[in-house]
Amino acid sequence: MRETAAAAVGALGRAAGAEKAARQGSGWYARYLWAFAAGQLVLVPVAVLWRGPVSAVVFGVTNALLVTGLSVYAARQRVVRRGFGVKHGVLVGSWAVVFALVAVLGFTVFGPSVPFAVGAALACALPLAVGAWTEMRGSV
């Protein structure tokens, strides 16, 4: 009986150690989100202000480079915190909803408006920045 209890205590200790290591090593996700948020400050004005095929190519290539770079960075990380998938899904989903709204409003209502592009860039970066901030607080 004592051996079973000792094994259980040992397993719980290893699990707590793994959780602590994951929490301490999860600062990479905050950096990922900050980079994604910063990318919005460039990509959203490109999407809203520019028109024509050149803008589509610049937007597509820049967005592809950002997503590819961040994906490679994320894939190389060793630890992922519990609940990461849900948090990432909520953050990216929130960003996607805001970006879709910005795109629709930019093309139908506001057109190439600089004030709208600035506000839209900040609005698209906001969910990612909030996620990065909460992730930084949680990894301490």
Side-chain angles (χ1 to χ4, degrees), residues 16-77:
E19 179 68 23
K20 182 179 179 184
R23 207 173 30 259
Q24 290 173 339
S26 68
W28 70 268
Y29 188 53
R31 291 186 296 275
Y32 170 99
L33 292 171
W34 282 124
F36 197 9
Q40 298 311 297
L41 301 177
V42 175
L43 289 172
V44 172
V46 167
V48 171
L49 296 175
W50 285 5
R51 300 288 189 250
V54 172
S55 70
V57 169
V58 169
F59 178 77
V61 168
T62 306
N63 203 22
L65 288 173
L66 177 66
V67 169
T68 301
L70 289 173
S71 296
V72 167
Y73 177 71
R76 296 180 51 103
Q77 302 310 307

Side-chain angles (χ1 to χ4, degrees), residues 33-34 36-46 48 94-95 98-99 102 113-131:
L33 292 171
W34 282 124
F36 197 9
Q40 298 311 297
L41 301 177
V42 175
L43 289 172
V44 172
V46 167
V48 171
S94 300
W95 166 80
V98 173
F99 185 80
V102 161
S113 165
V114 172
F116 176 73
V118 170
L122 293 173
C124 286
L126 184 63
L128 304 168
V130 168

Side-chain angles (χ1 to χ4, degrees), residues 4-19:
T4 306
V9 169
L12 288 173
R14 286 189 300 279
E19 179 68 23

